[in-house]
Amino acid sequence: MNHFMELLKINLKLLVRNRGFLFFLLLAPLLSLVILNLKNDASTSYDEGERGIIELEKPQEKIVYQNDWTSYAVKVYDAAQSELAEYVQQELAEAGMIRVFRVDASEMSEADVEEIVKEDATKDRVGASLYLRPEFDEKVTEGDWKEAFRLYETSDDERFELAERVLTEEISVIQRLAQSGQEPKQMVSSIRQMKENFPEKEVVMLESSKEESLTREQENKKQLAGMAYAILSLGFLFCGVCVAYTMIEERDNKVYTRIMLSKVGRTEYLISKFAVAILVSVLQTGVMALYMLLFRNMDFGISRGNLLFMAFLLGMIFNILSLVAGIMVGDVMSANYAVLAIWVVSALLSGCYFSLDGSSKMIQAISDLMPQHWFIKGTEMIMRGDQSVYPMICGITLAYVIVILGIGAVGLKMKESEA
């Protein structure tokens, strides 16, 4: 036990003298907290028009960052530019669960529209596209409504049937008024007067306690949490490399050989290094807690205790992972490249920067292997008040640590046999 404690003290002294270690120890937690406290207005800027029509500046403009999975996006190419067309679009936007994005298509041909629709089907989050032809008013009032517009289904979302039903119902109302001899301009006012006498409709969304949806603000905080975890994991990885640096130096300077000739065994030596990596995670969490005390007014989306809990477990995984990477490659520069590659791949495939909900099953399966993915999911569960997050995240952390420790033990033994 005395040998073990002595090894811990020596390693901690070496780390404190390392300026690179201090840099990542102090900077990564601070940056992550700043990111978590950002006001993400990218998607909330459209809240005021959520039940209205959102105007797009150009036909190719993407709506993926302006909408979420709770709303069904319908992109309307309005070549009619009439009161009747405006009325139909407004009714579609107020149907509930449907969000209308409008493009001025008065200068576009139908072939141009079809090209953009095909592109949006694969490169954007559009549920359906609606093209209102220039002769929309004439065709609808004459009863030839199938030639008045074209509705494209660009996803397999079942809410397409809702959009289709709302569209056909409103057009059938217009046709009944047209048969009575009313002009298009009179029809809109007649329909609105008629609907004023209808009972007011209230849209209520029922949710189970286990599958409760996040609010838009919580969704924004979840996205920011992913970015913060990416910054934290980068700091953890490079702090772990500093621990690996001590092992590499000890092996290169024959210190490891002298240690093995003493009463310290290989197992005790390896455990001491992993214990240092865990202590580094404690230090990083402590630094984050100190920043929280200094900046009391920050809003992180989850409680400070939960955030520190997540940071500690994430740090433990990545500190040990980078330590093992250093053991395997056996060179400081190569270890830096290795952990940078690990960080880039894991952050991208875990959904730290963008949601992977619409990605292929293979990408989602790979994402399940990335530690940050589970911590983002855990953050979402905490926001929903799901208490099962604690055993889940602890079990996942334990599984990662066991696998990484096993790889590290094999790697150290291989390095010894090579020497």
Side-chain angles (χ1 to χ4, degrees):
M1 186 66 181
N2 292 333
H3 297 295
F4 178 78
M5 294 303 298
E6 191 65 29
L7 288 171
L8 282 181
K9 291 178 182 178
I10 293 172
N11 281 278
L12 288 175
K13 287 179 181 179
L14 292 173
L15 285 175
V16 172
R17 295 172 186 171
N18 190 322
R19 293 181 180 179
F21 171 78
L22 294 176
F23 175 80
F24 285 105
L25 176 67
L26 298 175
L27 187 63
L30 178 61
L31 285 178
S32 63
L33 292 180
V34 170
I35 289 173
L36 273 172
N37 199 52
L38 292 176
K39 300 297 182 182
N40 186 3
D41 297 327
S43 59
T44 57
S45 60
Y46 293 90
D47 284 352
E48 294 180 358
E50 186 169 2
R51 295 297 299 277
I53 298 173
I54 299 169
E55 303 289 348
L56 300 179
E57 295 181 359
K58 54 184 180 180
Q60 294 82 6
E61 185 175 348
K62 303 302 180 185
I63 67 170
V64 62
Y65 300 113
Q66 304 176 21
N67 196 43
D68 53 39
W69 292 107
T70 61
S71 300
Y72 184 67
V74 177
K75 193 171 181 180
V76 179
Y77 298 85
D78 186 3
Q81 299 290 309
S82 65
E83 289 189 29
L84 275 182
E86 175 73 21
Y87 163 75
V88 170
Q89 293 171 69
Q90 287 288 352
E91 291 300 308
L92 194 61
E94 295 175 5
M97 292 192 297
I98 295 177
R99 211 168 187 189
V100 174
F101 298 83
R102 179 163 60 190
V103 176
D104 183 355
S106 56
E107 302 296 328
M108 298 174 62
S109 67
E110 188 166 346
D112 294 335
V113 171
E114 289 182 353
E115 286 297 320
I116 300 175
V117 169
K118 290 177 183 178
E119 182 179 350
D120 287 344
T122 56
K123 298 181 180 180
D124 202 1
R125 190 184 290 174
V126 179
S129 295
L130 174 63
Y131 174 58
L132 302 179
R133 291 191 169 104
E135 60 275 12
F136 177 81
D137 288 12
E138 298 174 10
K139 296 295 183 181
V140 170
T141 54
E142 291 173 0
D144 192 10
W145 62 271
K146 291 185 178 180
E147 295 298 322
F149 65 89
R150 286 199 66 181
L151 182 62
Y152 304 87
E153 184 176 6
T154 53
S155 72
D156 56 357
D157 196 314
E158 294 180 355
R159 288 175 291 184
F160 174 79
E161 297 179 1
L162 171 63
E164 189 177 32
R165 185 171 68 250
V166 171
L167 188 61
T168 53
E169 285 178 355
E170 295 303 328
I171 288 178
S172 65
V173 171
I174 294 171
Q175 287 180 329
R176 286 198 297 270
L177 293 174
Q179 291 173 358
S180 65
Q182 291 192 25
E183 295 295 326
K185 291 184 178 180
Q186 297 174 328
M187 293 179 189
V188 176
S189 58
S190 298
I191 296 172
R192 286 174 179 167
Q193 289 176 1
M194 180 175 59
K195 289 193 173 183
E196 285 179 358
N197 300 322
F198 288 176
E200 186 177 353
K201 180 177 68 174
E202 181 181 1
V203 179
V204 179
M205 296 185 68
L206 300 178
E207 301 167 344
S208 67
S209 58
K210 292 185 178 180
E211 296 296 334
E212 183 180 356
S213 299
L214 299 181
T215 64
R216 191 172 298 277
E217 183 179 356
Q218 287 176 323
E219 282 288 349
N220 292 337
K221 285 297 180 183
K222 177 186 167 185
Q223 293 174 8
L224 294 174
M227 298 179 189
Y229 289 147
I231 296 297
L232 276 176
S233 59
L234 179 65
F236 294 149
L237 282 168
F238 278 102
C239 284
V241 167
C242 294
V243 180
Y245 174 73
T246 62
M247 293 189 67
I248 295 170
E249 286 291 297
E250 286 169 353
R251 188 175 62 247
D252 293 343
N253 296 328
K254 307 300 180 182
V255 175
Y256 176 73
T257 303
R258 292 196 295 272
I259 292 175
M260 291 299 101
L261 293 174
S262 66
K263 294 182 180 181
V264 178
R266 182 191 301 109
T267 303
E268 189 175 4
Y269 174 80
L270 189 60
I271 291 175
S272 70
K273 294 298 181 182
F274 288 122
V276 171
I278 295 174
L279 285 175
V280 169
S281 180
V282 174
L283 284 174
Q284 291 163 324
T285 307
V287 170
M288 180 177 280
L290 180 61
Y291 286 138
M292 288 180 177
L293 291 175
L294 295 176
F295 306 104
R296 294 178 178 273
N297 296 325
M298 284 187 167
D299 178 21
F300 307 120
I302 59 176
S303 69
R304 296 168 184 246
N306 282 324
L307 181 57
L308 292 174
F309 169 73
M310 302 290 274
F312 169 70
L313 295 183
L314 187 67
M316 190 162 59
I317 292 173
F318 279 102
N319 280 322
I320 295 175
L321 179 60
S322 59
L323 173 59
V324 169
I327 294 173
M328 298 295 288
V329 299
D331 176 73
V332 176
M333 187 60 68
S334 299
N336 286 329
Y337 292 143
V339 298
L340 184 60
I342 290 171
W343 176 71
V344 170
V345 172
S346 62
L348 285 175
L349 293 179
S350 61
C352 285
Y353 302 118
F354 47 82
S355 175
L356 299 176
D357 292 339
S359 60
S360 66
K361 291 183 179 180
M362 184 182 72
I363 294 296
Q364 292 186 20
I366 296 174
S367 177
D368 290 341
L369 300 176
M370 305 300 155
Q372 299 100 316
H373 166 81
W374 294 103
F375 283 84
I376 295 171
K377 185 176 180 65
T379 302
E380 180 182 351
M381 294 172 68
I382 291 173
M383 290 177 176
R384 294 201 313 259
D386 190 344
Q387 297 300 314
S388 63
V389 62
Y390 302 108
M392 181 202 79
I393 208 71
C394 288
I396 288 170
T397 301
L398 181 61
Y400 275 112
V401 169
I402 291 173
V403 172
I404 295 169
L405 286 176
I407 295 173
V410 172
L412 184 61
K413 191 171 183 180
M414 291 173 58
K415 288 296 179 183
E416 286 181 353
S417 61
E418 290 175 3

